[in-house]
Amino acid sequence: KSFTGVKMAQVLAQFRGEVLDEQLRSSYTMLAALDDQVAEAKREAAAERDKLTSLEQRKEDLKRRKETMKGAKMQRTPMFDQVSKELDELRERHKVQRDITQKAERKKDR
């Protein structure tokens, strides 16, 4: 009886060890996937930031042109309205992308 109990305990301990090893491997795989997602989200956020900066610059240029045109008693161009709309949309997308990146980083830190 005693030998069987010891042998059974050894088998159970080995099985538990294998299960824990598999769980650990799975955790590392999930962590690697999350790292990839965070890296991709950061790349996308950087691209969106670059685009946002470019659109902000265009908007400022158009604002200066608008002021010049106002001074010359001219009307605003439809292009200004279009760039303003694009800029607002891009700001919203950038905010959403930043939220996704932060959520992925928090998930990774757990």
Side-chain angles (χ1 to χ4, degrees):
K1 280 186 171 180
S2 176
F3 175 74
T4 306
V6 168
K7 189 67 175 166
M8 202 167 170
Q10 287 174 340
V11 169
L12 283 173
Q14 182 181 354
F15 178 72
R16 266 191 244 130
E18 290 170 1
V19 168
L20 289 175
D21 286 347
E22 182 57 36
Q23 288 175 341
L24 186 60
R25 274 192 296 276
S26 175
S27 294
Y28 279 123
T29 302
M30 281 189 346
L31 185 58
L34 285 173
D35 281 343
D36 292 343
Q37 289 175 359
V38 167
E40 179 62 25
K42 284 182 177 180
R43 280 191 296 275
E44 289 174 10
E48 292 293 323
R49 266 193 304 276
D50 292 345
K51 194 171 180 181
L52 177 64
T53 301
S54 173
L55 280 174
E56 285 175 337
Q57 174 91 35
R58 273 182 65 198
K59 184 175 181 180
E60 289 303 315
D61 291 344
L62 287 172
K63 272 185 180 178
R64 281 192 292 278
R65 282 181 49 197
K66 176 185 169 188
E67 293 304 317
T68 302
M69 291 170 82
K70 264 188 180 177
K73 305 271 190 241
M74 299 173 136
Q75 292 186 351
R76 178 169 79 181
T77 65
M79 190 169 155
F80 178 82
D81 294 329
Q82 178 186 349
V83 170
S84 293
K85 182 181 174 194
E86 286 178 27
L87 183 60
D88 292 339
E89 289 170 359
L90 189 60
R91 279 189 179 128
E92 184 60 31
R93 276 201 325 239
H94 178 68
K95 179 179 178 277
V96 169
Q97 187 64 43
R98 188 179 60 233
D99 293 346
I100 290 170
T101 303
Q102 289 171 349
K103 186 184 284 183
E105 286 177 343
R106 282 194 302 269
K107 200 177 209 181
K108 177 185 168 201
D109 291 339
R110 287 186 196 157

